[in-house]
Each structure stands twice: as C-alpha cells, then as structure tokens.
Amino acid sequence: MIRFLARIWSWSPGQTQKMNLFQSITSALDNTLSRDPTAVIFGEDVAFGGVFRCTVGLRDKYGKDRVFNTPLCEQGIVGFGIGVAVAGATAIAEIQFADYIFPAFDQIVNEAAKYRYRSGDLFNCGSLTIRAPWGCVGHGALYHSQSPEAFFAHCPGIKVVIPRSPLQAKGLLLSCIEDKNPCIFFEPKILYRAAVEQVPVEPYYIPLSQAEILQEGSDVTLVAWGTQVHVIREVATMAQEKLGVSCEVIDLKTILPWDTEAVCKSVVKTGRLLISHEAPLTGGFASEISSTVQKLKPTRPKHTSSPHYDVMVQYGIKNDNLLRTQSCKSGAPYRCNSASYKNMGISYSIKGLIYSCWGTVSLNFLSFVH
C-alpha cells in the first residue's frame, strides 16, 4: 500500500500519446499485463478485441492463456473472476454491456463484496476488477443504455468508479486494479471515441474516492460523473454567460465510497446543490448525495459577498420546499433566460439550461435559497 501511494503522489507525465477513451483503457490493460505476470483478462469476445475494441491486440501480445473469451454467462464470468482473485492472481473481467451485469448481481454483492468479511479476513478477492461499458449512446435502446451504478452503491465491500475522460480513465482503472478491494469500473461508452486527450504511455494512478473540482464557483454547486460531467460543464458556461450565475463544477468520479467532504465543503460555499445523472430518478445516486448533505447540514458563513445569500444561514431543515426532485422530459417548460432566473430562482434556471443541452436527463437537485 505504501508503494502504491508513493506511485500516486510521485507521478510525472513522461511520454504522452494522443488517445481516445477506449485506447486509454487498452493502454492501462497493456501496462497491467506487462508488469503483472498473474494478470488475466477475460469476457465475451475480448480475445478479438471486444465490441468496443478495448482489448484489441492484447491476445496476440500476451497469449491466449492471459486474454481469452468466456461463454455468454455473466454469472460465470464474475464467479470465475472471484476464484482467480482468491487464488492470488489479478483478475480483470469484462461484462460486455453494463445492462447485462444483472445476472452476475448475486456473485458481486453476495460473494465478491462479502468474501473478506465472511472469512474474517483470512481470504479475499480484492484483486478482482469488473469492467463494463456504461450509459446511453443515443441509439442503444433498453439493453445498451442503462446506468446501473446505484444498484451497487448499496453494497459495502466493493468500489464503484466512473471516469469522464481518457486521462482519467487510465489512471482510475489502474488504481482499481491495484486496489485491494473488488472494484466495478463503468466506462461511458459514448465517450469511447468522442473524447481525446494526451495520455501518458507509462502507468500512473489517480486516487479513488477523491472528487475533483473542475471549476470554482460561488452561487451553486453542480455535481455529476461520467458523461454528464461534460453536460454540466457546458451548462456552467451558459449559466455564467446568460444568467450571471457562478457555478462550481465537481466530478465525483468514485460512486462508492464517494467524497462527501468535497461536496459538502462546496455546498457550504455556494449554498445550493444540483446533481445530474443519466440513471433513473427514483433511487438514483443523486438521492444519496442529497440526503447526506441534508443530514450533515453544513453551515455556510453568515457574511458573504454573493448577493444571493440573504435568506438562510443554516439550511436543510427550515423549509420543506428546499428539497425538490424533477425529471426533465422532452417538452418540459424549462427553457430559461434572465427573466426566468429572477422569477424561478437559480436552481430552476440551471435545470433549464441542462435541459437545453441534453434533451432527456434525470435530475435530483437541492435548492437552498431562492
């Protein structure tokens, strides 16, 4: 663990290469196979590169015993991965789409997540990482568009991570592989070829459970993960230009365990919180974030330079209308301008901008001051 942390904090970029997201995933897997002789990659069609080409070339380079196909049986894929990890090897399992992870649900939540606990820490499968393409892509229909992260957020013993970009994807995936807990790594499939960055060729590690503030702001905190981070960054720009609203943008990155401190500190500063995700509204992870912030009830300073803080100092318990939930559907009347900002409040205006950027999106937002 000490060596792992040292690698995180002493990392320097070194040689970089232009990569899209799926290429950065391939690079991370290549790094792992080259450095760890016990590492194996398996799943449906991974031997020829996978449907999104994330494992292309790896079988030819490392052999059929280390990169190989499995039957179409997600329960078997994860169960096999648990056994490989318990035996001491590094297991990297691919579920072809996150929508198909549910047959493996029992193996993940009842076996992988609880293996250490049930054995009194005598055994564990912490070297298991489960990868899965995640989220909507515009034409995926019901079996290729789901965002199931909230199903696993209820389960102690695993970690759930979702990157927003190629640079983040490689560093976070390598951290998942190194982590001594089983990890689920969801990859936003719409970004596989859309996002391109300069990515280090050599391994590097981005800490798990640490959110990142992408933009400082003073009026409202916007939180998202994966693809939706790009939406709220665009919304933050529009809010500043059209409404004069200063948005603080946070990429949560790790769903479980998530960075409560970073989010609450931001809400202390801004007094408002809006969470946006692709998953269904009811039971979505935004509800967990909202309820946690309400429960912790952080207090902002009494004196602030922002003109919007003139109603409440302590929030979360004084007004039943402060916690609101809304799902933006096609045709919803949330096209906002400066007039609607004055009449509806900051959170309604921001929600309208999100609708303008992204036709159908689930939102769960907390508005502390109107």
Side-chain angles (χ1 to χ4, degrees), residues 219-280:
D219 293 329
V220 60
T221 298
L222 308 183
V223 175
W225 48 89
T227 310
Q228 206 66 12
V229 171
H230 301 280
V231 176
I232 65 168
R233 292 184 79 169
E234 184 177 350
V235 164
T237 301
M238 294 171 63
Q240 184 65 58
E241 294 174 352
K242 296 184 177 183
L243 310 174
V245 174
S246 173
C247 301
E248 183 142 300
V249 177
I250 296 180
D251 178 8
L252 201 60
K253 297 197 287 191
T254 303
I255 302 299
L256 185 70
W258 64 285
D259 191 347
T260 57
E261 182 179 3
V263 173
C264 286
K265 279 186 176 180
S266 177
V267 174
V268 167
K269 178 171 67 172
T270 66
R272 301 173 181 84
L273 172 63
L274 186 148
I275 310 122
S276 178
H277 58 60
E278 291 184 21

Coordinates of all heavy atoms in Angstrom, one line a residue, residues 219-280:
D219 N -22.1 30.5 -6.6 CA -23.5 30.6 -6.5 C -24.2 29.2 -6.3 O -25.3 29.1 -5.7 CB -24.1 31.3 -7.7 CG -23.7 32.8 -7.7 OD1 -23.5 33.3 -6.6 OD2 -23.6 33.3 -8.8
V220 N -23.7 28.2 -7.0 CA -24.4 26.9 -7.0 C -23.3 25.8 -7.3 O -22.4 26.0 -8.0 CB -25.5 26.8 -8.0 CG1 -25.0 27.0 -9.4 CG2 -26.3 25.5 -7.9
T221 N -23.5 24.7 -6.6 CA -22.6 23.5 -6.8 C -23.3 22.5 -7.8 O -24.4 22.1 -7.5 CB -22.3 22.8 -5.5 OG1 -21.6 23.7 -4.6 CG2 -21.4 21.6 -5.7
L222 N -22.6 22.2 -8.8 CA -23.1 21.2 -9.8 C -22.2 19.9 -9.7 O -21.0 20.0 -9.8 CB -23.0 21.7 -11.2 CG -23.6 23.1 -11.5 CD1 -23.5 23.4 -13.0 CD2 -25.1 23.1 -11.1
V223 N -22.9 18.8 -9.5 CA -22.2 17.5 -9.3 C -22.6 16.5 -10.3 O -23.8 16.4 -10.6 CB -22.4 16.9 -7.9 CG1 -21.8 15.6 -7.7 CG2 -21.9 17.9 -6.8
A224 N -21.7 15.8 -10.9 CA -22.0 14.8 -11.9 C -20.9 13.8 -12.0 O -19.8 13.9 -11.3 CB -22.3 15.4 -13.3
W225 N -21.0 12.7 -12.8 CA -20.0 11.8 -13.1 C -20.1 11.2 -14.5 O -21.2 11.3 -15.1 CB -20.0 10.7 -12.0 CG -21.4 10.1 -11.8 CD1 -21.9 9.0 -12.5 CD2 -22.3 10.5 -10.8 NE1 -23.2 8.7 -12.0 CE2 -23.5 9.7 -11.0 CE3 -22.4 11.5 -9.9 CZ2 -24.6 9.8 -10.2 CZ3 -23.5 11.7 -9.1 CH2 -24.6 10.8 -9.3
G226 N -19.0 10.7 -15.0 CA -19.1 10.1 -16.3 C -19.5 11.2 -17.4 O -19.0 12.3 -17.4
T227 N -20.3 10.8 -18.3 CA -20.7 11.6 -19.5 C -21.3 12.9 -19.0 O -21.1 14.0 -19.6 CB -21.7 10.9 -20.4 OG1 -21.2 9.6 -20.7 CG2 -21.9 11.6 -21.7
Q228 N -22.1 12.9 -18.0 CA -22.8 14.0 -17.5 C -21.9 15.2 -17.1 O -22.4 16.3 -17.0 CB -23.8 13.6 -16.4 CG -25.1 14.5 -16.4 CD -25.9 14.4 -17.6 OE1 -25.8 13.5 -18.4 NE2 -26.9 15.3 -17.7
V229 N -20.7 14.9 -16.7 CA -19.8 15.9 -16.4 C -19.6 16.9 -17.5 O -19.6 18.2 -17.3 CB -18.4 15.3 -16.0 CG1 -17.3 16.4 -15.8 CG2 -18.5 14.5 -14.7
H230 N -19.5 16.5 -18.7 CA -19.4 17.3 -19.9 C -20.6 18.2 -20.1 O -20.5 19.4 -20.5 CB -19.1 16.5 -21.1 CG -17.8 15.7 -21.0 ND1 -16.6 16.2 -21.1 CD2 -17.7 14.4 -20.6 CE1 -15.7 15.2 -20.9 NE2 -16.3 14.1 -20.6
V231 N -21.8 17.7 -19.7 CA -23.0 18.4 -19.9 C -23.0 19.6 -18.9 O -23.3 20.7 -19.2 CB -24.2 17.5 -19.7 CG1 -25.5 18.3 -19.7 CG2 -24.3 16.4 -20.7
I232 N -22.7 19.3 -17.6 CA -22.8 20.4 -16.6 C -21.7 21.4 -16.8 O -21.8 22.5 -16.4 CB -22.8 19.8 -15.2 CG1 -21.5 19.1 -14.8 CG2 -24.0 18.9 -14.9 CD1 -21.4 18.8 -13.3
R233 N -20.6 21.0 -17.4 CA -19.5 22.0 -17.7 C -20.0 23.0 -18.7 O -19.8 24.2 -18.6 CB -18.2 21.3 -18.1 CG -17.5 20.5 -17.1 CD -16.2 19.9 -17.5 NE -15.2 20.9 -17.5 CZ -13.9 20.6 -17.7 NH1 -13.5 19.4 -17.9 NH2 -13.0 21.5 -17.6
E234 N -20.7 22.5 -19.7 CA -21.3 23.4 -20.7 C -22.4 24.2 -20.1 O -22.5 25.4 -20.4 CB -21.9 22.5 -21.9 CG -22.4 23.3 -23.0 CD -22.9 22.5 -24.1 OE1 -22.7 21.3 -24.1 OE2 -23.6 23.1 -25.1
V235 N -23.2 23.6 -19.2 CA -24.2 24.4 -18.5 C -23.6 25.5 -17.7 O -24.1 26.6 -17.6 CB -25.1 23.4 -17.7 CG1 -25.9 24.2 -16.7 CG2 -26.0 22.6 -18.6
A236 N -22.5 25.2 -17.0 CA -21.9 26.2 -16.1 C -21.4 27.4 -16.9 O -21.6 28.5 -16.5 CB -20.7 25.6 -15.4
T237 N -20.9 27.1 -18.1 CA -20.5 28.2 -19.0 C -21.7 29.0 -19.5 O -21.7 30.3 -19.4 CB -19.8 27.7 -20.3 OG1 -18.6 27.0 -19.8 CG2 -19.4 28.8 -21.2
M238 N -22.8 28.4 -19.8 CA -24.0 29.0 -20.2 C -24.6 29.8 -19.1 O -25.1 31.0 -19.3 CB -25.1 28.0 -20.8 CG -24.6 27.3 -22.0 SD -25.8 26.0 -22.4 CE -27.3 26.8 -22.7
A239 N -24.6 29.3 -17.9 CA -25.2 30.0 -16.7 C -24.4 31.3 -16.4 O -25.0 32.3 -16.1 CB -25.1 29.0 -15.5
Q240 N -23.1 31.2 -16.6 CA -22.3 32.4 -16.4 C -22.6 33.5 -17.4 O -22.8 34.7 -17.1 CB -20.8 32.1 -16.4 CG -19.9 33.2 -16.1 CD -20.1 33.7 -14.6 OE1 -19.9 33.0 -13.7 NE2 -20.4 35.0 -14.5
E241 N -22.7 33.0 -18.7 CA -22.9 34.0 -19.8 C -24.3 34.5 -19.8 O -24.5 35.7 -20.1 CB -22.6 33.3 -21.1 CG -21.1 32.9 -21.3 CD -20.8 32.1 -22.5 OE1 -21.8 31.7 -23.2 OE2 -19.7 31.9 -22.8
K242 N -25.3 33.7 -19.6 CA -26.7 34.1 -19.8 C -27.4 34.6 -18.5 O -28.3 35.4 -18.6 CB -27.5 32.9 -20.4 CG -27.1 32.5 -21.7 CD -28.0 31.4 -22.3 CE -27.7 31.0 -23.7 NZ -28.6 30.0 -24.3
L243 N -26.9 34.0 -17.4 CA -27.6 34.4 -16.1 C -26.7 35.1 -15.1 O -27.2 35.6 -14.1 CB -28.1 33.1 -15.4 CG -28.9 32.1 -16.3 CD1 -29.2 30.8 -15.5 CD2 -30.2 32.8 -16.8
G244 N -25.5 35.2 -15.4 CA -24.5 35.8 -14.4 C -24.4 34.9 -13.2 O -24.1 35.4 -12.1
V245 N -24.6 33.6 -13.3 CA -24.5 32.7 -12.2 C -23.2 32.0 -12.2 O -22.8 31.4 -13.2 CB -25.7 31.7 -12.2 CG1 -25.5 30.6 -11.1 CG2 -27.0 32.4 -12.1
S246 N -22.5 32.0 -11.1 CA -21.2 31.4 -10.9 C -21.4 29.9 -10.4 O -21.8 29.7 -9.3 CB -20.3 32.2 -10.0 OG -19.1 31.5 -9.7
C247 N -21.0 28.9 -11.2 CA -21.2 27.5 -10.9 C -19.9 26.9 -10.5 O -18.9 27.0 -11.1 CB -21.8 26.8 -12.0 SG -23.4 27.4 -12.6
E248 N -19.9 26.1 -9.4 CA -18.8 25.2 -9.0 C -19.1 23.8 -9.6 O -20.1 23.3 -9.2 CB -18.6 25.2 -7.5 CG -17.4 24.4 -7.1 CD -16.6 25.0 -5.9 OE1 -16.2 26.2 -6.1 OE2 -16.6 24.4 -4.9
V249 N -18.2 23.3 -10.4 CA -18.4 22.0 -11.0 C -17.6 21.0 -10.4 O -16.3 21.1 -10.3 CB -18.1 22.1 -12.6 CG1 -18.3 20.8 -13.2 CG2 -19.0 23.2 -13.2
I250 N -18.2 19.9 -10.0 CA -17.5 18.8 -9.3 C -17.7 17.5 -10.1 O -18.9 17.1 -10.4 CB -17.9 18.6 -7.9 CG1 -17.6 19.8 -7.1 CG2 -17.3 17.4 -7.2 CD1 -18.0 19.8 -5.6
D251 N -16.6 16.8 -10.4 CA -16.7 15.4 -10.9 C -16.5 14.4 -9.8 O -15.4 14.4 -9.2 CB -15.6 15.2 -12.0 CG -15.6 13.8 -12.5 OD1 -16.5 13.0 -12.2 OD2 -14.6 13.4 -13.3
L252 N -17.5 13.7 -9.5 CA -17.5 12.8 -8.3 C -16.5 11.6 -8.5 O -15.8 11.2 -7.6 CB -18.9 12.2 -8.0 CG -19.1 11.7 -6.6 CD1 -18.9 12.8 -5.6 CD2 -20.5 11.1 -6.5
K253 N -16.4 11.1 -9.7 CA -15.5 10.0 -10.1 C -15.8 8.7 -9.5 O -15.9 7.7 -10.1 CB -14.0 10.5 -10.0 CG -13.7 11.6 -10.8 CD -12.2 11.8 -11.0 CE -11.5 12.3 -9.7 NZ -10.1 12.7 -10.0
T254 N -15.7 8.7 -8.1 CA -16.0 7.4 -7.4 C -17.4 7.5 -6.8 O -17.7 8.4 -6.0 CB -14.9 7.2 -6.3 OG1 -13.6 7.1 -6.9 CG2 -15.2 5.8 -5.6
I255 N -18.2 6.5 -7.1 CA -19.6 6.5 -6.5 C -19.6 5.8 -5.2 O -20.3 6.3 -4.3 CB -20.5 5.7 -7.5 CG1 -20.5 6.3 -8.9 CG2 -21.9 5.6 -6.9 CD1 -21.0 7.7 -8.9
L256 N -18.8 4.8 -5.0 CA -18.7 4.1 -3.7 C -17.2 3.8 -3.4 O -16.6 3.0 -4.2 CB -19.6 2.9 -3.7 CG -19.7 2.1 -2.4 CD1 -20.5 2.9 -1.4 CD2 -20.3 0.7 -2.7
P257 N -16.7 4.2 -2.3 CA -17.2 5.3 -1.4 C -17.0 6.7 -1.9 O -15.9 7.0 -2.4 CB -16.4 5.1 -0.1 CG -15.1 4.4 -0.5 CD -15.4 3.6 -1.8
W258 N -18.0 7.5 -1.9 CA -17.9 8.8 -2.5 C -17.3 9.9 -1.6 O -17.3 9.7 -0.4 CB -19.2 9.3 -3.1 CG -20.3 9.5 -2.1 CD1 -21.1 8.6 -1.4 CD2 -20.9 10.8 -1.7 NE1 -22.0 9.2 -0.6 CE2 -21.9 10.5 -0.8 CE3 -20.6 12.1 -2.0 CZ2 -22.7 11.5 -0.2 CZ3 -21.3 13.1 -1.4 CH2 -22.3 12.8 -0.5
D259 N -16.9 11.0 -2.2 CA -16.2 12.0 -1.4 C -17.2 13.0 -0.8 O -17.5 14.1 -1.4 CB -15.2 12.7 -2.4 CG -14.2 13.7 -1.7 OD1 -14.4 13.9 -0.5 OD2 -13.2 14.1 -2.3
T260 N -17.7 12.7 0.3 CA -18.7 13.6 1.0 C -18.1 14.9 1.4 O -18.7 15.9 1.3 CB -19.2 12.9 2.2 OG1 -18.2 12.5 3.1 CG2 -20.0 11.6 1.9
E261 N -16.8 14.9 1.8 CA -16.2 16.1 2.3 C -16.1 17.2 1.2 O -16.4 18.3 1.4 CB -14.8 15.8 2.8 CG -14.1 17.0 3.4 CD -12.7 16.7 3.9 OE1 -12.3 15.5 3.8 OE2 -12.0 17.6 4.5
A262 N -15.7 16.7 0.0 CA -15.5 17.7 -1.1 C -16.8 18.3 -1.5 O -16.9 19.5 -1.7 CB -14.9 17.0 -2.3
V263 N -17.9 17.5 -1.5 CA -19.2 18.0 -1.9 C -19.7 19.0 -0.8 O -20.2 20.1 -1.1 CB -20.2 16.9 -2.2 CG1 -21.6 17.4 -2.4 CG2 -19.7 16.1 -3.4
C264 N -19.7 18.6 0.4 CA -20.2 19.4 1.5 C -19.4 20.7 1.6 O -20.0 21.7 1.9 CB -20.2 18.6 2.8 SG -21.4 17.3 2.9
K265 N -18.1 20.7 1.5 CA -17.4 21.9 1.5 C -17.8 22.9 0.5 O -17.9 24.1 0.7 CB -15.9 21.6 1.4 CG -15.2 21.1 2.7 CD -13.7 21.0 2.5 CE -13.0 20.6 3.8 NZ -11.6 20.5 3.6
S266 N -18.1 22.3 -0.7 CA -18.5 23.2 -1.8 C -19.9 23.8 -1.5 O -20.1 25.0 -1.8 CB -18.6 22.4 -3.1 OG -19.0 23.2 -4.2
V267 N -20.8 23.0 -1.0 CA -22.1 23.5 -0.7 C -22.1 24.5 0.4 O -22.9 25.4 0.4 CB -23.1 22.3 -0.3 CG1 -24.4 22.8 0.1 CG2 -23.2 21.3 -1.5
V268 N -21.2 24.4 1.4 CA -21.0 25.4 2.4 C -20.7 26.7 1.7 O -21.2 27.8 2.1 CB -19.9 25.0 3.4 CG1 -19.5 26.2 4.2 CG2 -20.3 23.9 4.3
K269 N -19.9 26.7 0.7 CA -19.5 27.9 0.0 C -20.6 28.5 -0.9 O -20.9 29.7 -0.9 CB -18.3 27.7 -0.9 CG -17.8 28.9 -1.6 CD -16.5 28.6 -2.3 CE -16.5 27.6 -3.4 NZ -15.3 27.5 -4.2
T270 N -21.3 27.6 -1.6 CA -22.3 28.1 -2.6 C -23.7 28.2 -2.0 O -24.5 29.0 -2.5 CB -22.3 27.2 -3.8 OG1 -22.8 25.9 -3.5 CG2 -20.9 27.1 -4.4
G271 N -24.1 27.3 -1.1 CA -25.4 27.3 -0.5 C -26.5 26.6 -1.4 O -27.6 26.5 -1.0
R272 N -26.1 26.1 -2.5 CA -27.0 25.4 -3.4 C -26.3 24.2 -4.0 O -25.1 24.2 -4.3 CB -27.5 26.3 -4.5 CG -28.3 27.5 -4.1 CD -28.6 28.4 -5.3 NE -29.2 29.6 -4.9 CZ -28.6 30.7 -4.4 NH1 -27.3 30.7 -4.3 NH2 -29.3 31.8 -4.1
L273 N -27.1 23.1 -4.2 CA -26.6 21.9 -4.8 C -27.5 21.4 -5.9 O -28.7 21.2 -5.7 CB -26.3 20.8 -3.7 CG -25.9 19.4 -4.2 CD1 -24.6 19.5 -4.9 CD2 -25.9 18.5 -3.0
L274 N -26.9 21.0 -7.1 CA -27.7 20.4 -8.1 C -26.9 19.2 -8.6 O -25.7 19.3 -8.9 CB -28.0 21.3 -9.3 CG -28.9 20.8 -10.4 CD1 -29.6 22.0 -11.0 CD2 -28.1 20.1 -11.5
I275 N -27.5 18.0 -8.6 CA -26.8 16.8 -9.0 C -27.5 16.3 -10.3 O -28.8 16.2 -10.4 CB -26.9 15.7 -8.0 CG1 -26.4 16.2 -6.6 CG2 -26.1 14.5 -8.4 CD1 -27.5 16.1 -5.5
S276 N -26.7 15.9 -11.3 CA -27.3 15.5 -12.6 C -26.7 14.2 -13.0 O -25.5 14.0 -12.9 CB -27.0 16.5 -13.7 OG -27.5 16.1 -14.9
H277 N -27.6 13.2 -13.3 CA -27.0 11.9 -13.8 C -28.0 11.3 -14.8 O -29.1 11.7 -15.0 CB -26.8 10.9 -12.6 CG -28.0 10.6 -11.8 ND1 -29.2 10.1 -12.3 CD2 -28.3 10.8 -10.5 CE1 -30.1 9.9 -11.3 NE2 -29.5 10.3 -10.2
E278 N -27.5 10.3 -15.5 CA -28.3 9.7 -16.6 C -29.2 8.6 -16.1 O -30.2 8.3 -16.7 CB -27.3 9.0 -17.6 CG -26.5 9.9 -18.4 CD -25.7 9.1 -19.4 OE1 -26.0 8.0 -19.8 OE2 -24.6 9.7 -19.9
A279 N -29.0 8.1 -14.9 CA -29.8 7.0 -14.4 C -31.2 7.4 -14.0 O -31.5 8.6 -13.9 CB -29.1 6.4 -13.1
P280 N -32.1 6.5 -13.9 CA -33.5 6.8 -13.5 C -33.5 7.7 -12.2 O -32.6 7.5 -11.3 CB -34.1 5.5 -13.2 CG -33.4 4.6 -14.1 CD -32.0 5.0 -14.1

